[in-house]
Amino acid sequence: MGDLQGHAGPAPGPRQPVPASPQALAYLAAYLEEAGLPPDGMPVWRTRRGESRPLTYWAARRIIQRADEAIGANWTLHDLRHTAATRLARDPELTLVEVQTILRHAHITTTALYTVVGLDDLVDKLAEHYARPAQPTSWPTQYAADDIEAVFGAGQ
């Protein structure tokens, strides 16, 4: 895992480390090979149509809109971020704090919103549960059998 320095949002601010996978670094290298290095102080990501200029949120949004039109979808940049966040949060090899750091959430409660159970996982877990033999009910020995019978009924 490598790291880059980048801005944390659309407005220029202090540079912060950005974790990146080897695959992301390979894609970045290929992009820079084709697009060239940006001038000092300029963003790495630039528009590819027309005059080269920094790739703004609005330009990236328009790229997604054109892709949506081509494939008949209705995705947004936020949908893509949400999907990535959900996949990260469901990865058993990552802690929630690590996911929070990657997503740059100020509060862990924001990251926790992505800890949803997938329907496929839930169906599998239920199937496993019902495939296990039922465990006999047992009660702590300090309770009298008559009391258990009175509270839980015959045959418990």
Side-chain angles (χ1 to χ4, degrees), residues 114-150:
Y114 295 100
T115 58
V116 296
V117 177
L119 185 57
D120 292 343
D121 294 338
L122 193 55
V123 168
D124 292 344
K125 292 279 187 180
L126 281 171
E128 290 171 13
H129 170 77
Y130 287 114
R132 289 191 294 268
Q135 299 297 317
T137 304
S138 63
W139 306 99
T141 56
Q142 69 260 32
Y143 295 111
D146 292 343
D147 292 341
I148 293 171
E149 179 71 25

Side-chain angles (χ1 to χ4, degrees), residues 49-112:
R49 293 168 46 144
E51 179 186 332
S52 178
R53 57 192 183 284
L55 182 66
T56 64
Y57 167 83
W58 298 106
R61 183 174 182 264
R62 186 64 190 123
I63 291 168
I64 297 298
Q65 286 174 336
R66 281 194 300 275
D68 282 346
E69 291 164 5
I71 64 173
N74 188 25
W75 295 342
T76 66
L77 286 171
H78 184 74
D79 292 333
L80 299 176
R81 177 178 168 83
H82 179 80
T83 299
T86 300
R87 291 182 66 192
L88 288 168
R90 293 181 66 199
D91 185 333
E93 299 297 318
L94 292 171
T95 67
L96 198 57
V97 172
E98 290 167 335
V99 175
Q100 175 191 13
T101 302
I102 292 165
L103 297 174
R104 299 177 182 204
H105 288 158
H107 304 285
I108 195 78
T109 52
T110 303
T111 311

